[in-house]
Amino acid sequence: MNEREATLRKMDAEKQRIDARIAEVEAESDLREAKDELKELRGAKERREAFRRKLEDLRQRGTEDFERGKQELFRACEETGKSLDEAEKQAEVRRAAYERKRDAELRQMGAQFDGWEADLSRSRAEDALLSKQEMQFLRSSFKSTGDALRRLMTSKGGDWARLRKEYEASWNELKENSRRIRADSPEQPESPPSPS
């Protein structure tokens, strides 16, 4: 294998690695509305296309002016890598902010449960806000939601997007159960936090 073939193979492998990195950032980029797609990711995609064009150009050139084409290709690959680094950094910042917000909401609801349990243990009568069985049901649902958030916080890429949906479903179910149980109670305690 000559230098040209070795370079083309190496750059094909680099192109696959870049595609995989972009796919991972895209899997997490749903943190924003589609209309507000990550500008860093758009820039990385544009640079990836420039890199692909230069790779194809080098492949078509054959041996004429190979050195200059190779240098342009290496530059395009490096620019794409830098752009992807920035997109990954921004996606990580957004993911961490989302997770912190959800963790705070969960802690706030846990504090509300603690307050409700304190009310329940004080009254032990029919005028209690929640029955012991309802409280156990809510605690179990709360634990499941917390477990879902912990799994979310240790995942990346497509797994993160899937686990985020699972967390959102668990959170919404917890809020609905809490709302329904409180609606059946004679008094209305403070409502849980909004996930938005």
Side-chain angles (χ1 to χ4, degrees):
M1 174 183 322
N2 62 31
E3 181 192 359
R4 180 180 172 279
E5 291 168 345
T7 300
L8 289 173
R9 272 196 190 174
K10 178 181 175 186
M11 290 297 105
D12 277 333
E14 190 62 28
K15 181 176 67 122
Q16 288 176 336
R17 190 177 72 79
I18 287 169
D19 288 344
R21 287 177 66 192
I22 284 180
E24 187 169 323
V25 173
E26 280 179 321
E28 294 181 11
S29 68
D30 68 341
L31 295 176
R32 287 183 169 187
E33 301 286 331
K35 62 183 165 60
D36 193 21
E37 183 186 358
L38 288 167
K39 71 178 180 197
E40 296 85 3
L41 184 56
R42 279 196 312 268
K45 285 180 174 181
E46 290 167 3
R47 285 180 177 78
R48 175 186 62 182
E49 290 309 311
F51 171 68
R52 284 183 179 174
R53 284 192 302 273
K54 291 197 183 296
L55 179 57
E56 196 52 42
D57 181 50
L58 187 62
R59 195 174 266 121
Q60 299 298 324
R61 278 186 193 186
T63 55
E64 73 262 4
D65 204 13
F66 176 74
E67 274 307 311
R68 188 171 66 86
K70 182 173 85 169
Q71 293 310 315
E72 289 174 6
L73 183 61
F74 285 160
R75 250 190 324 278
C77 182
E78 185 179 322
E79 288 172 3
T80 304
K82 286 179 184 174
S83 184
L84 259 170
D85 290 344
E86 186 58 33
E88 287 170 335
K89 221 184 303 179
Q90 292 302 318
E92 182 68 25
V93 165
R94 287 189 227 330
R95 186 169 72 94
Y98 173 87
E99 290 167 354
R100 278 192 309 274
K101 183 175 182 178
R102 295 310 180 246
D103 185 50
E105 289 170 348
L106 211 53
R107 283 194 317 270
Q108 181 181 355
M109 183 169 272
Q112 286 179 1
F113 288 165
D114 291 341
W116 296 342
E117 281 182 328
D119 289 345
L120 181 63
S121 65
R122 272 195 310 269
S123 87
R124 294 194 188 262
E126 283 190 4
D127 64 341
L129 294 176
L130 301 171
S131 74
K132 193 161 189 98
Q133 187 176 25
E134 289 169 331
M135 198 65 219
Q136 288 170 342
F137 174 73
L138 279 179
R139 275 288 179 195
S140 173
S141 185
F142 177 69
K143 182 183 180 314
S144 296
T145 303
D147 291 344
L149 182 61
R150 281 185 282 288
R151 284 191 305 275
L152 174 71
M153 293 171 114
T154 60
S155 66
K156 288 192 176 244
D159 280 345
W160 189 87
R162 179 182 55 77
L163 289 171
R164 176 181 179 224
K165 287 178 184 166
E166 286 178 18
Y167 168 76
E168 292 286 346
S170 182
W171 173 254
N172 289 334
E173 181 181 354
L174 175 62
K175 287 192 321 178
E176 179 57 27
N177 289 338
S178 172
R179 186 202 58 75
R180 193 170 42 249
I181 288 171
R182 286 180 296 112
D184 292 341
S185 299
E187 296 177 34
Q188 294 292 316
E190 183 182 339
S191 63
S194 165
S196 58

